[in-house]
Amino acid sequence: VSASSVSRFLRGERVRNAAVIQQAIDELRFRPSPLARSLKSGITHLIALVVPDVSNPFFAEVVKGSEAVSRRAGYNILLVNTDESVEREHELLAALSGRVDGIILAPATERAEAVADLRGTGAPIVFLDRELHGNEDFDCVLVDNAGGARLAAEHLIALGHKRIGLISGPIDTTPGRGRHEGFVDALEQAEIELPPSYVQIADFREQGGYQAALRLLAAEPPPSAIFAANNLMAIGALRALATVGVATPDELSFVGFDDLKLAELLKPSLTVVSRPTEEQGALAMRLLLDRLGGNEDVAARRIMLETQLTVRGSTAAPPELLRSASTRTAAV
Amino acid sequence: VSASSVSRFLRGERVRNAAVIQQAIDELRFRPSPLARSLKSGITHLIALVVPDVSNPFFAEVVKGSEAVSRRAGYNILLVNTDESVEREHELLAALSGRVDGIILAPATERAEAVADLRGTGAPIVFLDRELHGNEDFDCVLVDNAGGARLAAEHLIALGHKRIGLISGPIDTTPGRGRHEGFVDALEQAEIELPPSYVQIADFREQGGYQAALRLLAAEPPPSAIFAANNLMAIGALRALATVGVATPDELSFVGFDDLKLAELLKPSLTVVSRPTEEQGALAMRLLLDRLGGNEDVAARRIMLETQLTVRGSTAAPPELLRSASTRTAAV
DNA sequence: TTGAAAGCGCTAACAC
DNA sequence: GTGTTAGCGCTTTCAA
């Protein structure tokens, strides 16, 4: 029995010694090596989903969306965690090169350093939620970060807040920069001052949000409202508020970016900017599968998803308005 | 310039035409194929971490623990999601075979079906948090599920609860079975009846926990305390309690298994059974690295981690006790 | 139908 | 130091 016959048998072709081969396979516990197959064929049926933080529920949702789509097309997903580190990302991308048919990437930074890695892989790439500076060559599925931050700011402004603090993400990431800009723009447009002490740059992590919130609360006077530019920092900030003993929304209004499973169950429930998370993952996968399906030479596509404001209980009018309102009532 | 010289150059050996080769590499954007390297050497420097649900924060923490250890040893982690499905697990394990040096696996079921896949891969395997029935051949890092559930039950019993409901995970998983057994044992020992309507088997998912909680609340009489056997089901159950309008802990005490980032910030804060999560991931990785480091023939090791009860605000004496206490007070 | 041969991209042993 | 050769495990012509 020759190797090529076994190969054909495995492929489902009609073979004379089918029974014999099957028996030999069982006895020897023979498993064709996917590795060798891939080397020969150049096909892996694997897609890497490279994200900066697997413990961020946003990316967990994204995975769900992507997986639902990829499964139907016969691709399996390898999730890879860069931990927001450019070096790790560089290493991992190198390790993946050739091992996967395509990559969905949420890069650790917008700085275009990674672009060399990307061209090196040969595999099609789709940017997810984050892109590289000046990107025109790769597909991407983004969200209107500036618009979302603007929604949050305008909501707080409409409630009467004048002292609004920002817990920003890293400025060298697409969502960090976008949300920062949108927020600052909205305040400028409303002619609300934003002193430096009201802008705290953190790292999209819980601990960073915690410390940023403490710094905001230490400002003199402290803000009457805070917007945290992602969900993890929001959790950290809420922990800080609880530690210091600031009541929400009575003493301070709070808005997060990206919903949380428990956002509704918190007391007060959490006002957030939300977006179609699973859909974002699904769309990125569709773009990638499209390239893998032969449309390699289509011009790069850029999809921008809309955000929406989900108003819950953590936002209200600032205390000075409430106080003056009750004073007025008392006066009456 | 011959291929082997390039190979040597890449390997860091002294080569005469170093400069020329470097230039050629740059010009041609040459990247050695990790795939071919692995085929040749049998080494990938990759470890697969196969989990049933990447959106479960428990596994996210585990990843952190594993990653911290693997990184120092020069291995990269590929996270793989089986979505609690045996078929997906089967497919994925097959796809991974040969592509990774080792596997850390939290199997979708205890039923020993997967074991054939495992022997097929050739790669060392460590079971994480879940194992296969009758496993004696593979390392594993488990947690004392029965003991943890017992802690929860005894806590509720000590508070005076007599009608205690259980939201159990799938009985064919290690933690599902262990927590179920520990809970039932503790109640039996305390001679507390556990009618079938007080035991709801769900799927370790939020939606399952939601529905299980609704069924428990529909029992006649409803339980005065509920234990949910994992974090996601706990979230679902809390949502059900909020929907129905049951006050915690005044009307119903609640205990979860596995901590949550926001458990402390809920009102009331959530009483849970907790465990050293990152450590569990780190230990599994250490066992695996040990095998990869040459100790292939050591007997299978079995590590069991302890749980602890973190008492917070969601548990209190049952309403009938409180009522009779206040009645007594009123009588005085 | 089937086996022999070539080759995917790389590395290690061998001779030069 | 360097190139040649062989081979990792598979698939795919090409003859037979």
Side-chain angles (χ1 to χ4, degrees):
Chain A
V1 268
S2 85
S4 28
S5 289
V6 178
S7 177
R8 280 189 273 261
F9 171 77
L10 255 22
R11 216 166 170 270
E13 283 181 29
R14 292 191 56 78
V15 187
R16 213 188 303 281
N17 300 357
V20 184
I21 296 180
Q22 183 56 266
Q23 190 191 338
I25 287 178
D26 292 343
E27 276 177 20
L28 276 59
R29 290 224 181 83
F30 172 78
R31 305 256 163 225
S33 150
L35 205 66
R37 272 190 172 160
S38 297
L39 181 61
K40 180 73 181 127
S41 66
I43 294 171
T44 65
H45 289 293
L46 254 26
I47 287 170
L49 184 41
V50 183
V51 301
D53 187 357
V54 285
S55 75
N56 185 324
F58 163 68
F59 287 113
E61 293 294 312
V62 162
V63 173
K64 288 205 174 151
S66 293
E67 217 153 44
V69 174
S70 70
R71 195 175 308 173
R72 270 177 272 141
Y75 284 92
N76 289 317
I77 291 186
L78 266 24
L79 237 190
V80 176
N81 188 37
T82 64
D83 211 18
E84 301 277 9
S85 148
V86 186
E87 297 78 43
R88 305 260 319 118
E89 181 177 297
H90 178 78
E91 272 181 50
L92 286 162
L93 251 14
L96 287 172
S97 146
R99 289 195 207 276
V100 294
D101 291 343
I103 296 176
I104 295 180
L105 173 65
T109 170
E110 277 194 322
R111 282 172 282 130
E113 311 161 349
V115 81
D117 295 345
L118 301 188
R119 308 217 178 278
T121 65
I125 293 172
V126 174
F127 286 121
L128 172 84
D129 201 46
R130 307 178 173 197
E131 64 176 336
L132 259 31
H133 247 145
N135 165 48
E136 287 188 347
D137 301 341
F138 297 99
D139 294 329
C140 60
V141 182
L142 305 173
V143 71
D144 182 7
N145 290 301
R150 177 176 289 278
L151 286 177
E154 286 169 353
H155 171 57
L156 294 170
I157 293 167
L159 286 169
H161 290 273
K162 304 285 184 202
R163 308 191 314 279
I164 310 181
L166 167 65
I167 301 179
S168 168
I171 296 302
D172 65 343
T173 64
T174 308
R177 185 174 48 78
R179 295 169 199 173
H180 188 280
E181 289 177 1
F183 184 84
V184 171
D185 278 4
L187 260 57
E188 228 162 61
Q189 208 166 319
E191 297 185 354
I192 290 181
E193 210 191 336
L194 184 65
S197 61
Y198 279 19
V199 179
Q200 298 294 335
I201 309 278
D203 57 0
F204 276 150
R205 290 192 168 105
E206 187 183 338
Q207 201 52 26
Y210 178 83
Q211 274 147 4
L214 288 184
R215 289 196 299 270
L216 284 178
L217 294 176
E220 197 49 57
S224 65
I226 292 179
F227 168 57
N230 89 335
N231 47 5
L232 260 27
M233 296 193 300
I235 293 177
L238 289 177
R239 190 187 302 285
L241 299 186
T243 305
V244 175
V246 178
T248 308
D250 296 347
E251 300 178 65
L252 185 130
S253 285
F254 191 89
V255 186
F257 199 113
D258 276 336
D259 214 342
L260 289 165
K261 282 256 163 66
L262 286 170
E264 238 174 323
L265 292 175
L266 290 171
K267 285 177 188 160
S269 57
L270 195 61
T271 296
V272 296
V273 178
S274 54
R275 55 167 151 177
T277 307
E278 287 199 28
E279 192 182 333
Q280 201 176 346
L283 280 169
M285 184 57 75
R286 284 213 190 86
L287 291 185
L288 185 58
L289 290 178
D290 182 57
R291 299 245 168 229
L292 291 175
N295 288 346
E296 299 131 7
D297 302 324
V298 188
R301 291 155 292 187
R302 186 187 203 73
I303 296 182
M304 175 86 77
L305 264 28
E306 285 309 311
T307 57
Q308 70 177 68
L309 186 71
T310 304
V311 179
R312 299 204 185 96
S314 64
T315 45
E320 58 266 26
L321 277 191
L322 292 174
R323 222 180 297 129
S324 66
S326 58
T327 309
R328 227 175 297 134
T329 309
V332 170
Chain B
V1 268
S2 86
S4 30
S5 288
V6 178
S7 177
R8 282 189 273 261
F9 172 76
L10 255 22
R11 215 165 170 271
E13 283 180 30
R14 293 192 54 80
V15 186
R16 213 188 303 283
N17 300 358
V20 185
I21 295 180
Q22 183 57 265
Q23 190 191 337
I25 286 178
D26 293 343
E27 277 178 17
L28 276 60
R29 291 224 180 84
F30 172 79
R31 305 256 161 224
S33 150
L35 206 66
R37 272 190 172 161
S38 297
L39 181 62
K40 179 76 179 125
S41 65
I43 294 170
T44 65
H45 289 293
L46 254 25
I47 287 170
L49 184 40
V50 183
V51 301
D53 189 356
V54 284
S55 76
N56 185 324
F58 163 68
F59 287 113
E61 292 295 311
V62 162
V63 174
K64 287 206 175 149
S66 293
E67 216 151 46
V69 174
S70 69
R71 194 176 310 175
R72 270 177 272 142
Y75 284 92
N76 288 317
I77 291 186
L78 266 23
L79 236 191
V80 176
N81 188 38
T82 65
D83 211 16
E84 301 277 9
S85 148
V86 185
E87 297 77 44
R88 304 259 320 117
E89 181 177 296
H90 178 78
E91 272 181 50
L92 287 162
L93 250 16
L96 287 172
S97 146
R99 289 195 208 275
V100 294
D101 292 343
I103 297 177
I104 295 180
L105 173 65
T109 170
E110 276 194 322
R111 283 173 280 131
E113 311 162 348
V115 80
D117 295 345
L118 301 188
R119 307 218 177 278
T121 65
I125 293 173
V126 174
F127 286 121
L128 172 86
D129 201 47
R130 306 178 174 197
E131 62 175 337
L132 260 30
H133 248 144
N135 165 48
E136 287 189 347
D137 302 340
F138 298 99
D139 293 330
C140 60
V141 183
L142 305 173
V143 72
D144 183 6
N145 289 301
R150 178 177 289 276
L151 286 178
E154 286 168 354
H155 171 58
L156 294 171
I157 293 166
L159 286 168
H161 290 272
K162 304 285 185 201
R163 307 191 315 279
I164 310 181
L166 167 65
I167 300 178
S168 168
I171 297 302
D172 65 343
T173 64
T174 308
R177 186 174 49 77
R179 292 169 200 173
H180 188 280
E181 288 176 1
F183 185 83
V184 170
D185 278 4
L187 260 58
E188 229 162 59
Q189 208 167 320
E191 297 184 352
I192 289 182
E193 209 192 336
L194 184 65
S197 62
Y198 278 19
V199 179
Q200 298 294 336
I201 310 278
D203 57 359
F204 277 150
R205 289 193 167 105
E206 187 183 336
Q207 200 53 24
Y210 178 83
Q211 274 147 4
L214 288 184
R215 290 196 298 270
L216 284 178
L217 294 176
E220 195 51 57
S224 66
I226 292 180
F227 167 57
N230 91 335
N231 48 4
L232 260 27
M233 296 193 300
I235 292 178
L238 289 177
R239 190 186 302 284
L241 299 186
T243 305
V244 175
V246 178
T248 308
D250 296 348
E251 301 178 66
L252 186 130
S253 285
F254 191 90
V255 186
F257 199 114
D258 275 336
D259 215 341
L260 289 165
K261 283 257 163 65
L262 285 170
E264 237 174 324
L265 293 175
L266 289 171
K267 285 180 187 156
S269 57
L270 195 60
T271 297
V272 296
V273 178
S274 54
R275 55 167 151 178
T277 307
E278 286 199 27
E279 193 183 332
Q280 200 175 346
L283 280 169
M285 184 57 75
R286 283 212 191 88
L287 291 185
L288 185 59
L289 291 177
D290 182 56
R291 300 244 168 229
L292 292 175
N295 288 346
E296 299 131 6
D297 301 325
V298 188
R301 291 153 293 186
R302 185 187 205 73
I303 297 183
M304 174 85 77
L305 265 27
E306 286 308 310
T307 57
Q308 70 177 67
L309 186 71
T310 305
V311 179
R312 298 204 184 97
S314 64
T315 45
E320 60 265 24
L321 278 190
L322 292 174
R323 223 179 297 130
S324 67
S326 59
T327 308
R328 227 176 296 133
T329 310
V332 171

